[in-house]
Amino acid sequence: MKTTTTRKILAGLNYSGLDRLYQQLDAELGVLLTFHHVHPRLPQAFSPNAHLAVDPEFLSEIIRVLRQRGFELVCMDEVRARIQSPERKNRFAAITFDDGYRDNLEHAIPLLREQRVPYAMYIASGMIEGTANVWWEGIEALVRENTSLVFDMSGQEVELDCSNLAAKQSSFVKLMDYLTEELPENLQRSFVNTLCSQYEVDLEAHRERQLMTWDEIRQLAADPLCTIGAHTVDHPALARLTEDDASSEMVNGADVLAAKLGRKPDHFAYPYGYHQAAGPREFDLARKAGFKTAVTTRPGMVFAEHANYLTGLPRISANGLYQEKRYFAPLTSGLPTRLRSRMRRLDVA
Ligand SMILES: [Zn+2]
């Protein structure tokens, strides 16, 4: 329902030309885009993580739209330089990928190389080494493959109906809310592991299929177009940890990348990146850890005022539910996110 409304608003802005008019008036410096999976679309009715995957054609379309609209595609070092000395140049756009999925290597990187587009890849070392996994995809598999799930939720036996599409969708949301809001971060993994082994979902095999190996990441790191950034060790919602634990996750994740790749990462992405996962305390910790920039998933454009908030930068998601030019193009004008944030430029509190 919400998706349908948003699509209508975006398409309306596109047809009216209002977004292009607005773009000529506003003073944003550029935009950072978030990608996760890139692969051909899978025809699946129950697909609760579909927003995290775009097909390669849509990535091409995005690059085309950005160039048509006068954006220069730049790396994260250049993003930082342009925020720090914001002379009026062309607007910039930066392409960023979170987590290091193998499909990026197969479907996105060749395309970016062909088009000479710089990109950043944020790696959580534990997801590569198996101390963390893609648990939200494990939950998706559990709900897809079963008609009901019975398990212990905070000492109470609970049964979740997964017998039809609507039931699956609501059960997925319930489980995700429980895992991200109620259960402490340090218990999340054991809960998911227990549930997955109870219902024979092999999370470790899934992780191995989905994530790149260190060898593959090293190949990428050698590409002059690629910036490898840090993304913690075990991909926690940092704001739900103690300050010491949050700090260790950030620092240790960067140290592992330095050891594996021979170069300390200068840039960082907060896992999940939304308000409840990363806030002002984390922005401070990222600065203290020495990162030159750190990116959230708070939607918005980048302005000169972000010079004081280089570790709290907004990004716009290349969202799999909006894979059409008429939905994406207006986002590059900054108008939709400004409307959403009641015309505020900064969202850093
Ligand atoms: Zn991530």
Side-chain angles (χ1 to χ4, degrees), residues 281-312:
R281 185 191 74 173
E282 286 66 42
F283 302 165
D284 243 21
L285 290 176
R287 206 168 30 77
K288 287 180 190 147
F291 294 115
K292 291 180 183 165
T293 71
V295 292
T296 66
T297 54
R298 299 179 179 206
M301 308 298 275
V302 179
F303 293 93
E305 292 92 324
H306 281 110
N308 295 321
Y309 301 96
L310 283 167
T311 53

Side-chain angles (χ1 to χ4, degrees), residues 130 132-135 137-142 145-146 192-211:
N133 51 48
V134 202
W135 62 267
E137 293 178 6
I139 299 293
E140 174 180 342
L142 277 171
E145 289 161 21
N146 293 283
V192 175
N193 285 349
T194 307
L195 197 55
C196 281
S197 55
Q198 192 183 330
Y199 285 94
E200 296 178 354
V201 167
D202 192 341
L203 262 184
E204 176 56 14
H206 178 81
R207 185 197 64 75
E208 278 188 7
R209 271 197 309 276
Q210 294 297 327
L211 274 300

Side-chain angles (χ1 to χ4, degrees), residues 98-99 231 235:
D98 284 10
D99 303 336
H231 195 41
H235 205 276

Side-chain angles (χ1 to χ4, degrees), residues 19-225:
D19 62 325
R20 271 149 288 171
L21 178 66
Y22 178 80
Q23 191 170 28
Q24 291 164 25
L25 303 175
D26 203 24
E28 88 277 355
L29 300 173
V31 61
L32 312 176
L33 296 175
T34 315
F35 291 82
H36 288 84
H37 288 284
V38 180
H39 55 61
R41 239 175 283 200
L42 306 166
Q44 245 163 0
F46 177 65
S47 199
N49 290 306
H51 59 293
L52 299 176
V54 299
D55 55 48
E57 290 72 29
F58 186 54
L59 172 59
S60 289
E61 179 85 32
I62 285 175
I63 292 164
R64 219 170 13 250
V65 169
L66 290 170
R67 286 189 165 148
Q68 273 167 5
R69 292 200 167 198
F71 286 84
E72 257 180 87
L73 290 148
V74 302
C75 66
M76 287 308 295
D77 278 341
E78 180 66 15
V79 166
R80 178 186 184 238
R82 292 201 185 192
I83 296 171
Q84 285 183 320
S85 45
E87 310 144 34
R88 199 82 191 105
K89 289 188 189 162
N90 290 334
R91 287 174 171 79
F92 66 75
I95 306 280
T96 70
F97 296 90
D98 284 10
D99 303 336
Y101 296 105
R102 180 166 293 122
D103 54 45
N104 296 175
L105 202 58
E106 188 179 344
H107 297 292
I109 308 307
L111 203 149
L112 297 174
R113 285 187 180 146
E114 199 184 289
Q115 304 261 345
R116 310 296 305 154
V117 176
Y119 58 94
M121 184 77 65
Y122 296 106
I123 304 288
S125 59
M127 289 177 81
I128 308 307
E129 301 188 332
T131 57
N133 51 48
V134 202
W135 62 267
W136 51 96
E137 293 178 6
I139 299 293
E140 174 180 342
L142 277 171
V143 173
R144 176 181 298 117
E145 289 161 21
N146 293 283
T147 51
S148 84
L149 295 169
V150 182
F151 55 91
D152 184 276
M153 200 186 236
S154 310
Q156 272 197 318
E157 192 179 89
V158 174
E159 178 171 1
L160 285 183
D161 177 16
C162 304
S163 59
N164 57 59
L165 184 59
K168 283 182 196 297
Q169 276 157 347
S170 105
S171 291
F172 180 82
V173 171
K174 269 188 208 145
L175 263 169
M176 291 300 282
D177 286 351
Y178 175 65
L179 282 159
T180 57
E181 288 165 23
E182 283 183 50
L183 200 65
E185 210 63 7
N186 59 343
L187 299 179
Q188 184 191 74
R189 183 166 324 123
S190 65
F191 176 90
V192 175
N193 285 349
T194 307
L195 197 55
C196 281
S197 55
Q198 192 183 330
Y199 285 94
E200 296 178 354
V201 167
D202 192 341
L203 262 184
E204 176 56 14
H206 178 81
R207 185 197 64 75
E208 278 188 7
R209 271 197 309 276
Q210 294 297 327
L211 274 300
M212 286 190 274
T213 61
W214 285 120
D215 275 344
E216 288 167 328
I217 295 166
R218 264 189 289 272
Q219 284 172 35
L220 278 191
D223 179 353
L225 290 171

